[in-house]
């Protein structure tokens, strides 16, 4: 069951709605949606609808940025060998591609390094440091990882290698003794915006370097095609500085001449990409490289100059993604069966383990399991001598804090509020599983144990005027902190008996909906094809939905995506 929750405005918020209506010349609906997103006056609305690159914060507000820039410039001037090191996911590989592409304008003494997910695991590896030493590297720039690499940074120092860490994950109690640590989440970092992704921190680094090198900022903005892909894939809030970067990043992405992205566009036969296209088409394929083969494929794609070579790499990555989909479907089926066999359907958390499961897809499987059992979920597999897991969480539950409460049973862990990774000894698996369930049972509130659909407003379909739809389009890009507006409408019915079940297995429900005096809207309810017989004879319904532009055969129309419906 999904719980419906209609947002209500207090007296102060209602006054802000009235003020915005007057100041912006918009309907109450638009003003209400803005207020619900924290936009309460004209200036904030202007920044929301017209995000400006001039509003980006100075990169030098970030702790250690001046030190990092000076050390990199010293390395360039003295001809030192520099390694650009990053995680194997989208955020890490885009960050490496960004910093490498920028620095190669100033020095030829560069190599990139992405750790092998299976041989080295997450983060900075001793193997990677040894490789750097063999290549006579004296400076490693670590992106999207490293904030907990205490021992690795010490190991590197003994080999004469300096570290600059540019990360966005939650720091531990101890910070590595690197030359510089860039992370806005550090307690003593005054940087105003805390929600940058790893590639976003990398962008701030090249922004600072550009300033010191007197490089025109316009040249730096050309790299925002990489940043928007990372923002979308890492599911960080699209608010504040991230909104500016994503908004302009999408424009750069549409015009990009980066051969890797042009190859992806050819692969999908698309001219324009939305955030959703990046999340569901681009990101899974870039991720598939590190999940199935090696993250180096992703960096090669994103830094390749030759278009035909980029097309070849894109095809290989697409094949990895096809294999990845087969894997995660099979493992999800096995995991669901394990829950049933162990009679764990009613537990507070999902914790499953199979030693043969493919490490590269267990995070995806964890997300799939949440679709069936809405609760914090961990999927374990064997990784060498230890067990490794991906953790995914539900709204209003901090899985990172939960893992901290179980740390006595864990070897290593790291991540975010809603996604994390960990390793532990197999002998500790049952102890950990018991403790994790206890923590979830004690801390996850009862009202947060079922999926909630938050509704922005109850409206009549006549309120979806051409003007309002044009303004709704300007709410993009959407993501955490600015999700697609969700509406509730009553007394809606399917017209003319044209509703039908569609899809390979007739699993989706296609409808044409209206109210008595409204226009007709195209609508799709995913996974609801079995309910076709409920809506005939102009049966009145209550629907909860968002609106998306749907392109088909060179025509673009607004389509309702039905999140919940019931017959009245």
């Amino acid at each position: 069951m999904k719980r419906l929750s209609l947002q209500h405005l207090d007296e102060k918020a209602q006054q802000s709605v009235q003020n915005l209506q007057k100041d912006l010349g918009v309907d109450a609906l638009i003003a209400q949606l803005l207020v619900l997103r924290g936009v309460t006056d004209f200036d904030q609305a202007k920044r929301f609808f017209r995000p400006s690159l001039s509003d980006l914060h100075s990169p030098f507000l970030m702790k250690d940025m001046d030190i990092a820039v000076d050390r990199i410039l010293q390395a360039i001037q003295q001809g030192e060998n520099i390694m650009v090191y990053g995680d194997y996911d989208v955020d890490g590989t885009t960050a490496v591609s960004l910093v490498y592409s920028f620095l190669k304008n100033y020095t030829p003494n560069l190599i990139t390094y992405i750790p092998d997910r299976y041989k080295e695991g997450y983060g900075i590896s001793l193997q990677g440091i040894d490789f750097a030493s063999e290549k006579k590297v004296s400076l490693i720039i670590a992106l999207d990882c490293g904030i907990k690499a205490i021992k690795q940074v010490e190991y590197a120092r003994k080999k004469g290698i300096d570290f600059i860490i540019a990360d966005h994950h939650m720091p531990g109690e101890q910070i590595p003794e690197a030359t510089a640590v860039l992370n806005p989440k550090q307690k003593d970092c005054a940087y105003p915006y805390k929600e940058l992704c790893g590639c976003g921190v990398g962008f701030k680094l090249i922004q600072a370097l550009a300033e010191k090198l007197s490089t025109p900022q316009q040249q730096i903005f050309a790299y925002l095609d990489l940043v928007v892909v990372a923002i979308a894939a890492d599911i960080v809030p699209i608010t504040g500085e991230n909104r500016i970067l994503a908004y302009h990043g999408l424009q750069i992405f549409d015009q990009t001449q980066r051969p890797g992205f042009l190859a992806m566009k050819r692969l999908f036969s698309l001219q324009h990409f939305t955030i959703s296209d990046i999340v569901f088409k681009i990101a899974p394929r870039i991720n598939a490289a590190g999940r199935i083969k090696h993250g180096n494929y992703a960096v090669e794609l994103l830094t390749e100059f030759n278009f035909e070579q980029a097309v070849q790499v894109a095809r290989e990555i697409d094949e990895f993604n096809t294999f990845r989909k087969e894997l995660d479907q099979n493992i999800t089926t096995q995991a669901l069966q394990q829950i049933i066999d162990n009679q764990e359907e009613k537990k507070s958390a999902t914790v499953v383990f199979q030693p043969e499961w493919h490490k590269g897809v267990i995070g995806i499987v964890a997300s799939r399991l949440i679709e069936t059992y809405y609760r914090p979920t961990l999927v374990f597999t064997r990784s060498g001598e230890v067990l490794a897991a991906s953790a995914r969480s539900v709204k209003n539950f901090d899985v990172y804090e939960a893992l901290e409460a179980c740390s006595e049973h864990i070897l290593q862990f790291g991540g975010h509020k809603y996604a994390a990774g960990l390793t532990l000894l197999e002998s500790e698996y049952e102890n950990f599983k018991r403790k994790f369930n206890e923590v979830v049972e004690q801390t996850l509130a009862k009202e947060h144990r079922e999926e909630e659909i938050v509704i922005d407003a109850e409206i009549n379909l006549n309120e979806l005027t051409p003007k309002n739809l044009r303004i709704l389009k300007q709410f993009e890009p959407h993501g955490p902190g600015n999700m697609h507006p969700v509406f509730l409408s009553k007394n809606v019915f399917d017209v003319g008996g044209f509703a039908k079940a569609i899809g390979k297995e007739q699993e989706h429900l296609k409808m044409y909906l209206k109210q008595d005096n409204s226009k007709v809207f195209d609508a799709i309810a995913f996974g609801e094809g079995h309910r076709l017989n409920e809506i005939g004879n102009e049966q009145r319904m209550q629907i909860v939905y968002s609106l998306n532009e749907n392109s088909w055969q060179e025509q673009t129309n607004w389509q309702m995506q039905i999140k919940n419906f019931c017959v009245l």
Side-chain angles (χ1 to χ4, degrees), residues 54-124:
S54 64
D55 287 334
L56 291 174
H57 304 301
S58 166
F60 289 101
L61 294 174
M62 196 175 294
K63 182 177 184 287
D64 282 359
M65 184 62 80
D66 52 343
I67 299 171
V69 167
D70 288 346
R71 180 65 187 89
I72 292 170
L73 293 179
Q74 176 190 328
I76 292 172
Q77 290 160 5
Q78 296 183 1
E80 296 178 54
N81 292 332
I82 303 171
M83 173 185 278
V84 185
Y85 187 116
D87 188 22
Y88 38 65
D89 68 2
V90 177
D91 197 11
T93 54
T94 53
V96 167
S97 302
L98 179 147
V99 173
Y100 171 81
S101 298
F102 175 79
L103 288 179
K104 71 180 174 57
N105 294 314
Y106 302 95
T107 176
N109 305 316
L110 282 174
I111 58 173
T112 63
Y113 193 92
I114 305 291
D116 186 292
R117 182 189 287 265
Y118 306 102
K119 296 176 182 176
E120 299 168 76
Y122 168 78
I124 296 166

Side-chain angles (χ1 to χ4, degrees), residues 239-376:
T239 58
E241 196 161 39
N242 278 345
R243 179 167 173 82
I244 299 172
L245 295 170
Y247 178 89
H248 290 278
L250 275 175
Q251 295 179 10
I252 299 295
F253 192 93
D254 256 354
Q255 304 158 13
T256 185
Q257 294 305 303
R258 190 178 303 279
F261 287 148
L262 291 176
M264 285 285 194
K265 287 184 176 183
R266 175 190 281 189
L267 194 65
F268 303 121
S269 302
L270 286 176
Q271 294 301 314
H272 301 289
F273 277 80
T274 64
I275 283 282
S276 293
D277 290 322
I278 292 172
V279 170
F280 295 111
K281 293 176 181 174
I282 301 289
R285 284 160 176 81
I286 295 175
N287 255 334
R291 293 185 188 281
I292 303 303
K293 199 74 171 180
H294 200 289
N296 284 336
Y297 281 83
V299 174
E300 183 183 350
L301 176 73
L302 299 176
T303 57
E304 178 59 58
F305 273 107
N306 182 280
F307 175 69
E308 293 306 323
Q309 182 61 30
V311 168
Q312 179 58 37
V313 178
R315 285 176 182 153
E316 291 181 74
I317 286 176
D318 192 44
E319 290 173 8
F320 298 155
N321 190 55
T322 299
F323 180 58
R324 185 273 305 166
K325 285 194 281 191
E326 294 173 3
L327 272 177
D328 81 59
Q329 287 169 1
N330 291 336
I331 295 173
T332 299
T333 299
Q334 295 171 29
L336 289 168
Q337 189 61 50
Q338 187 178 125
I339 293 168
I340 293 169
D341 291 345
N342 295 338
Q343 298 182 330
E344 296 183 344
E345 299 97 319
K346 295 183 179 179
K347 284 199 171 180
S348 299
T350 295
V351 184
V352 290
F353 164 54
Q354 180 66 256
E356 292 82 19
W357 284 343
H358 197 290
K359 187 180 176 185
V361 300
I362 56 176
I364 299 171
V365 172
S367 297
R368 299 250 191 269
L369 294 180
I370 288 175
E371 293 171 9
T372 302
Y373 298 103
Y374 186 74
R375 58 200 189 195

Side-chain angles (χ1 to χ4, degrees), residues 534-551:
E534 294 181 31
I535 63 171
N537 300 317
E538 297 191 356
Q539 177 66 57
R540 301 293 162 139
M541 293 180 284
Q542 170 182 291
I543 59 171
V544 176
Y545 58 98
S546 59
L547 290 159
N548 291 280
E549 280 192 312
N550 184 44
S551 296

Side-chain angles (χ1 to χ4, degrees), residues 314-500:
R315 285 176 182 153
E316 291 181 74
I317 286 176
D318 192 44
E319 290 173 8
F320 298 155
N321 190 55
T322 299
F323 180 58
R324 185 273 305 166
K325 285 194 281 191
E326 294 173 3
L327 272 177
D328 81 59
Q329 287 169 1
N330 291 336
I331 295 173
T332 299
T333 299
Q334 295 171 29
L336 289 168
Q337 189 61 50
Q338 187 178 125
I339 293 168
I340 293 169
D341 291 345
N342 295 338
Q343 298 182 330
E344 296 183 344
E345 299 97 319
K346 295 183 179 179
K347 284 199 171 180
S348 299
T350 295
V351 184
V352 290
F353 164 54
Q354 180 66 256
E356 292 82 19
W357 284 343
H358 197 290
K359 187 180 176 185
V361 300
I362 56 176
I364 299 171
V365 172
S367 297
R368 299 250 191 269
L369 294 180
I370 288 175
E371 293 171 9
T372 302
Y373 298 103
Y374 186 74
R375 58 200 189 195
T377 298
L378 289 96
V379 179
F380 279 88
T381 187
R382 183 170 285 128
S383 178
E385 300 298 312
V386 300
L387 302 189
S390 281
R392 297 293 184 268
S393 194
V394 296
K395 187 178 178 182
N396 297 306
F397 185 79
D398 191 328
V399 73
Y400 184 90
E401 282 188 2
L403 293 179
E404 281 188 319
C406 304
S407 58
E408 62 192 291
H409 305 296
I410 298 174
L411 290 174
Q412 284 183 306
F413 73 97
H416 311 284
K417 181 176 182 178
Y418 292 124
L422 66 148
T423 58
L424 48 76
L425 297 173
E426 188 166 357
S427 58
E428 286 290 337
Y429 174 72
E430 291 298 337
N431 292 330
F432 169 82
K433 183 174 180 177
R434 184 168 50 253
K435 177 68 173 178
F436 187 77
N437 264 290
E438 288 174 4
V439 171
V440 176
E441 177 63 32
Q442 292 165 8
T443 57
L444 182 58
K446 299 293 183 188
E447 63 269 21
H448 296 151
R449 297 191 181 204
E450 58 183 2
E451 188 173 355
E452 179 185 36
I453 300 176
V454 177
I455 301 165
D456 290 272
E458 179 178 345
I459 66 170
N460 290 315
L461 298 189
N462 279 331
E463 294 180 66
L464 299 174
T465 62
K467 177 184 176 181
N468 283 343
L469 289 170
R470 282 197 304 272
I471 297 173
L472 285 175
K473 174 73 175 169
Q474 295 176 49
F475 275 65
E476 297 176 357
H478 294 295
N482 178 36
M483 301 300 286
H484 275 93
V486 176
F487 304 115
L488 179 150
S489 296
K490 296 176 180 176
N491 289 313
V492 174
F493 59 93
D494 179 69
V495 301
F498 293 115
K500 58 185 176 180

Side-chain angles (χ1 to χ4, degrees), residues 498-523:
F498 293 115
K500 58 185 176 180
I502 61 171
K504 285 183 179 179
E505 299 178 11
Q506 307 287 287
E507 67 270 36
H508 310 308
L509 182 58
K510 180 76 180 248
M511 298 176 282
Y512 300 90
L513 303 179
K514 67 172 293 187
Q515 285 171 321
D516 286 331
N517 58 349
S518 77
K519 65 175 278 192
V520 176
F521 282 87
D522 180 28

